Amino acid sequence: MKTQVVLSVIIFVVLFSIDQVIKFGFANFDWNVKGPYMSLHLAYNYGVAFSMFSFLAQYLKYIQLAMVIVGFIYLLKNKEVFKDYWFAITLLFVGGLSNILDRFTYGGVVDYFYWHYGFEFAIFNISDVLINIAVAIIIYTQIKQWMKERKQKS
């Protein structure tokens, strides 16, 4: 488990730093680039996914920070969960904390990937991608575990 914690911290620091440097660049310099399929375009999201709950903009950072703290406390009390899902949890914490820092620093989450080929899609950032990858890993692991248990019962 010690190795997993060390790897988790290293991955967290590297990905968090990369994400924050990119967001700083978009927020402070003109890094916008128009592409035929996808553009890089600065936008601030004051809500959550697809700007839902933007009416809570000034409170979201505190609500989300409280959720992360509760999750961290849960992991301290349930170390086996971290052991089984350490990589996905690391990605969730990177994405979540980086977006929360944006709310404190810029007043909203810094988004910049904008898909616009064929249909207009949401604008998002690397943190959002990491969160989605983490959820996919957790779902995949849960399905795999369920299938294994189901097979053992038969």
Side-chain angles (χ1 to χ4, degrees):
M1 174 126 153
K2 184 178 179 183
T3 304
Q4 293 169 328
V5 171
V6 170
L7 279 172
S8 184
V9 169
I10 292 168
I11 292 167
F12 179 91
V13 169
V14 169
L15 292 177
F16 187 88
S17 299
I18 290 169
D19 189 48
Q20 284 298 307
V21 166
I22 292 169
K23 289 175 176 179
F24 180 84
F26 274 98
N28 294 288
F29 306 107
D30 185 18
W31 283 11
N32 295 334
V33 177
K34 179 89 169 128
Y37 306 104
M38 179 178 240
S39 296
L40 299 174
H41 178 77
L42 173 64
Y44 293 96
N45 185 351
Y46 301 103
V48 292
F50 304 104
S51 296
M52 291 185 300
F53 305 115
S54 57
F55 64 93
L56 292 172
Q58 61 189 9
Y59 305 108
L60 275 176
K61 58 188 166 196
Y62 301 111
I63 294 167
Q64 291 174 327
L65 190 56
M67 290 170 63
V68 169
I69 291 168
V70 168
F72 187 75
I73 292 168
Y74 175 83
L75 290 172
L76 288 175
K77 293 180 181 271
N78 298 281
K79 291 180 174 59
E80 70 282 351
V81 174
F82 181 79
K83 183 180 175 220
D84 294 339
Y85 297 94
W86 70 272
F87 185 68
I89 290 167
T90 302
L91 297 181
L92 280 174
F93 273 74
V94 170
L97 288 171
S98 186
N99 281 345
I100 291 169
L101 180 59
D102 290 358
R103 291 185 189 285
F104 281 99
T105 307
Y106 305 108
V109 176
V110 176
D111 287 332
Y112 45 85
F113 288 124
Y114 176 51
W115 179 269
H116 53 76
Y117 180 75
F119 58 92
E120 300 275 324
F121 192 68
I123 189 163
F124 56 95
N125 60 40
I126 290 174
S127 288
D128 299 334
V129 173
L130 294 175
I131 291 168
N132 282 291
I133 290 170
V135 170
I137 291 169
I138 291 168
I139 291 170
Y140 172 78
T141 305
Q142 285 288 298
I143 291 170
K144 192 172 151 185
Q145 182 180 356
W146 173 76
M147 290 175 68
K148 182 180 175 184
E149 289 172 4
R150 189 172 158 207
K151 191 174 184 178
Q152 288 174 346
K153 288 181 182 177
S154 340

